[in-house]
Each structure stands twice: as C-alpha cells, then as structure tokens.
Amino acid sequence: MRFKAAVLQMRSGLVPSANVATVAAAAREAKAAGAEYLQTPEMTTVVNRDRAAMMAVIGDEQSNPELDAFRSIARDNGLHLHIGSMAVRVGDKAANRAFVIDPKGEVLASYDKIHLFDVDLAGGESWRESNAYVGGGEAVTVDLPFGRLGLAICYDVRFPQLFRAYGDASADVISAPACFTKQTGEAHWHVLQRARAIENGAWMISAAQVGHHDDGRDTYGHSVIVDPWGRVVADAGDTLGLIYGEVDVHAVAATRGKVPNLKNARSFTMKTEPALRAAE
C-alpha cells in the first residue's frame, strides 16, 4: 500500500481566520498534486505567547469555527486532513489538540499533547506551556485506509516511550508536528525524528512552523518525512509551503523484519550497586 502525503510548513500568526485560509489553499494544492493525506503543524490556528490574547480567539471543541472550517476543507477536497494541533479551550486553560478528519469531514480521532514544554533556555527564552495548557493522558492511534497512524505533538518527540507504545501498537506512521524553537531545532530536530523512525521501524511525518512569528518567537521549520530505515525522504528547510512524499506502508513490515527490536525487547530490573567506601 502506497499513498502520497503532503506536509504543510507554516508561519501561523495571531489571526485564526488567516491561518485557516492558508490551510485551505494548501489543501487545494495538495489535492491537485494527488495527495491523499495532508498534515499541518502544531498550533495551526494561532501562535501567540500572550495567554490572554490567545484565549480570547479560541473556542472549545463543540463551538469552534476553525474546526468547522477544517472539516469543510477536508470534505471539499476529499482528503484526510491531519491538523497537527490547535488550541482548544478547556475551562480556564487550553488543550494542545490534534484532529484527524476524513474526506467526508468527520473527525476520526483527536489527541491532546501529553508532555508540556516548561524550560528556561540559555539564550534567555523561557517557556511555560503548563501555564496555558492542560496535558493529555492518552496515546491515540487511528486506522486510515492506507495504514495505522500514531499521534504525538512536538515536545512528545523527546519521550521515546510514547513512540515505542505506538510501535508496539503496530503503527505504520507516527507523527510529531511541531512549533520547535530555532535553538533546539538546530541541535536536535533531525536526530529525534530519525531516531523515532528507526527505533520503531515506522514512517515519521512531522509538519513544522518556521521563521519569525508575530508574537516574537523564532521557529526552526524543516518539516520532514522520514522512512522506517531513518532516511529523510523530504525536508522543507526554511521555506513556507508544501512538501510531498510517497509513503510505502509495506516498507514498515520489511524494516521490522530486518531489525526486529520490537519483538526482541525484554523486561528487566534495575540494580544499583552501593558506592565503595573510601579506604581508611
């Protein structure tokens, strides 16, 4: 089974309607190119570090014009639309939530980012996702006509146990759409994407934000499609727009047959030897 995947690299701004329009245009282009699946980055609808301003422009899942628009976009273009994530109001905070929408406009699955990015960077940047977001607690796979998809978001990619769970659940494709900072992206983005693919013998498809955003942050870009052997099939660099890749789902079984680490894994215990006392 093969399918053509399209991955959208964006620079989402402060106005959700403008960002939705970018997705709509990309969906038309992807459909014309023969894509069956389109993925967008983390925080597709708004990128704004001002919590109050962000909360003022987002809705909950039941009353959400952006989600309604994405459902129409998927239906109008007859493709599977994977919104890498969008902020969805949950009480006085938001969920960083992914949606997978089928060609009929139906939401097949949603996933809330489990791991929240709370960090102080050497360059002076400070991020506290937990101030604005509630973390999820459930890993999610969804069966699409061309294979099983495992859902993750951005910082999740640093937690291999989540991706191993997807490998053990026979996911053919795993995703980690992101809004990766430029500093950490330059150091770790590619190696993490390739490692998660190699460890699980699965495709990795990860759309990303790129460039200098209206809220002042700088994101790394380099949306990627990585095959189960860890080869980068497509890389968007620092350019806005779409990249494409032919995803051969049969390559998953072939790769896992060559390196059967998922089958060969064993449980173990941890032993810590006491430190030797200094000679008297």
Side-chain angles (χ1 to χ4, degrees):
M1 171 68 71
R2 293 174 178 266
F3 70 97
K4 188 170 186 177
V7 180
L8 176 60
Q9 186 149 288
M10 296 180 66
R11 188 178 303 136
S12 294
L14 307 177
V15 181
S17 60
N19 300 321
V20 170
T22 298
V23 175
R28 292 191 294 270
E29 182 179 336
K31 181 64 175 180
E36 300 173 63
Y37 166 92
L38 169 62
Q39 184 188 121
T40 71
E42 180 185 29
M43 291 290 102
T44 292
T45 54
V46 61
V47 171
N48 193 345
R49 70 174 75 195
D50 183 323
R51 176 185 171 184
M54 182 195 74
M55 294 296 291
V57 298
I58 67 171
D60 59 25
E61 185 171 338
Q62 287 67 43
S63 178
N64 197 301
E66 289 75 44
L67 181 56
D68 291 343
F70 291 141
R71 294 178 65 183
S72 295
I73 290 168
R75 184 171 54 249
D76 292 346
N77 292 281
L79 49 69
H80 285 85
L81 178 59
H82 175 181
I83 300 302
S85 86
M86 54 188 284
V88 176
R89 184 182 289 273
V90 179
D92 62 353
K93 289 189 177 183
N96 189 343
R97 185 168 293 170
F99 291 95
V100 179
I101 305 168
D102 75 8
K104 295 181 180 179
E106 298 298 322
V107 175
L108 298 179
S110 64
Y111 164 82
D112 288 358
K113 183 177 180 180
I114 294 173
H115 302 97
L116 301 182
F117 188 49
D118 287 359
V119 68
D120 297 307
L121 298 176
E125 290 181 89
S126 181
W127 302 96
R128 288 290 180 274
E129 281 192 332
S130 60
N131 288 343
Y133 297 95
V134 292
E138 185 175 51
V140 177
T141 64
V142 55
D143 287 332
L144 303 179
F146 34 77
R148 178 167 292 172
L149 171 66
L151 303 179
I153 299 170
C154 197
Y155 191 44
D156 284 333
V157 79
R158 294 186 181 274
F159 297 85
Q161 64 272 27
L162 173 61
F163 290 78
R164 174 51 56 92
Y166 286 139
D168 288 340
S170 300
D172 302 296
V173 179
I174 311 175
S175 62
C179 191
F180 239 65
T181 66
K182 182 174 174 56
Q183 181 180 358
T184 56
E186 288 175 342
H188 300 148
W189 173 255
H190 286 95
V191 69
L192 287 169
Q193 297 289 331
R194 295 183 65 206
R196 299 296 86 88
I198 293 167
E199 289 166 349
N200 297 290
W203 289 83
M204 281 290 296
I205 302 179
S206 300
Q209 299 279 354
V210 67
H212 186 71
H213 294 259
D214 293 340
D215 74 340
R217 81 182 70 194
D218 293 291
T219 53
Y220 181 60
H222 290 272
S223 300
V224 289
I225 301 174
V226 183
D227 77 8
W229 199 248
R231 292 173 290 226
V232 176
V233 172
D235 184 328
D238 57 6
T239 303
L240 292 168
L242 290 165
I243 59 170
Y244 299 94
E246 293 290 335
V247 177
D248 181 1
V249 176
H250 293 305
V252 174
T255 301
R256 290 173 179 168
K258 293 176 183 176
V259 184
N261 59 305
L262 296 175
K263 290 183 177 180
N264 293 161
R266 298 180 62 191
S267 61
F268 54 87
T269 60
M270 177 67 71
K271 179 181 180 181
T272 300
E273 297 285 2
L276 294 175
R277 283 184 280 183
E280 297 181 359

